[in-house]
């Protein structure tokens, strides 16, 4: 019963790539049978499926089992990233990719941009699946984590540097709205202030 920002946000991002046609946004309740049926029906009419929410380890997170129940083979579940750690990647019997993104808005948009876009480019036949991003100098070096890859929204400054926009929560759509893209902070990188920048426009 929550307001949906993930669906419109992901559709808006994908709309910037004219070779992608989004079919629909379907809301499904926290029910294993309903979710499994929705995945099965969606896979009959799409080349790739993106799901948001229900992918973590809670009692009502049915998406991993629903994907398996619909014949999908889980390739990975959980990545050493923040936000977006619960993300899942799978493939169905026909070779169609299934991406299950976390339900938090920041996590959904970040994982959709950083991981979903390269998957769709691969499916679209692009020679460069994940083009090398430009590097930007950060005005104030952000905090790091020794174990995780971190992704932070950032705004480009007129002098060529970038300003990190620390989100107040994983649902901070205001920070995302102000950002020109996200920076990628590798684990354990100390003393550096230049980072890969993934623009909001794929």
């Amino acid at each position: 019963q929550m307001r949906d920002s993930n669906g419109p946000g992901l559709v808006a991002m994908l709309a910037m790539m004219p070779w992608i046609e989004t079919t629909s946004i379907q809301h499904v309740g926290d029910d294993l049978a309903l979710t499994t049926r929705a995945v099965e029906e969606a896979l009959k009419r799409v080349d790739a499926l993106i799901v948001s929410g229900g992918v973590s380890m809670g009692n009502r997170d049915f998406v991993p089992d629903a994907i398996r129940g619909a014949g999908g083979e889980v390739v990975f579940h959980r990545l050493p990233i923040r936000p977006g750690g619960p993300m899942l990647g799978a493939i169905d019997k026909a070779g169609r990719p299934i991406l299950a993104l976390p339900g938090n808005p920041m996590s959904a948009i970040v994982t959709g941009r950083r991981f979903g876009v390269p998957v769709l480019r691969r499916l679209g036949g692009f020679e460069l699946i994940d083009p090398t991003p430009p590097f930007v100098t950060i005005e104030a070096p952000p905090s790091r984590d020794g174990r995780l890859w971190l992704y932070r929204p950032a705004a480009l400054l007129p002098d060529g540097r970038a300003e990190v926009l620390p989100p107040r929560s994983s649902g901070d759509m205001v920070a995302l709205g102000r950002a020109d893209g996200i920076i990628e902070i590798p684990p354990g990188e100390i003393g550096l202030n230049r980072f890969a920048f993934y623009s909001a426009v794929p």
Side-chain angles (χ1 to χ4, degrees):
Q1 297 179 5
M2 297 176 67
R3 299 283 185 181
D4 178 24
S5 61
N6 295 355
L10 291 166
V11 168
M13 179 174 64
L14 297 178
M16 299 178 191
M17 298 180 283
W19 45 276
I20 291 178
E21 178 185 356
T22 54
T23 58
S24 65
I25 301 176
Q26 181 179 356
H27 301 267
V28 181
D30 293 325
D31 178 273
L32 178 57
L34 289 176
T35 306
T36 303
R37 191 176 310 122
V39 171
E40 290 174 336
E41 290 301 316
L43 287 171
K44 294 177 182 179
R45 60 181 190 274
V46 301
D47 297 309
L49 176 62
I50 297 177
V51 181
S52 175
V55 72
S56 192
M57 306 294 287
N59 293 332
R60 301 180 70 82
D61 289 322
F62 297 117
V63 168
D65 287 338
I67 289 173
R68 293 186 182 96
E73 177 185 350
V74 174
V75 178
F76 67 86
H77 188 191
R78 305 190 72 82
L79 296 173
I81 62 175
R82 183 180 294 151
M87 181 182 175
L88 178 149
I91 192 166
D92 77 349
K93 294 177 181 178
R96 288 175 287 238
I98 306 169
L99 296 176
L101 312 180
N104 288 323
M106 182 73 70
S107 301
I109 298 301
V110 165
T111 52
R113 173 63 183 90
R114 182 63 185 91
F115 302 97
V117 169
V119 168
L120 295 174
R121 286 178 61 89
R122 171 66 180 270
L123 195 63
F126 281 76
E127 183 175 349
L128 285 176
I129 297 170
D130 192 11
T132 301
F135 277 68
V136 296
T137 299
I138 303 303
E139 187 177 38
S143 59
R144 295 169 174 78
D145 188 296
R147 302 169 296 109
L148 302 176
W149 292 74
L150 304 180
Y151 293 91
R152 297 289 181 262
L156 297 177
L157 301 174
D159 61 3
R161 295 178 300 161
E163 175 190 5
V164 176
L165 305 172
R168 297 182 180 182
S169 71
S170 56
D172 190 352
M173 296 299 288
V174 175
L176 276 176
R178 291 178 55 207
D180 296 301
I182 54 175
I183 60 166
E184 181 178 76
I185 308 169
E189 293 287 342
I190 299 174
L192 300 179
N193 66 341
R194 283 181 57 80
F195 301 99
F197 177 79
Y198 292 88
S199 67
V201 180

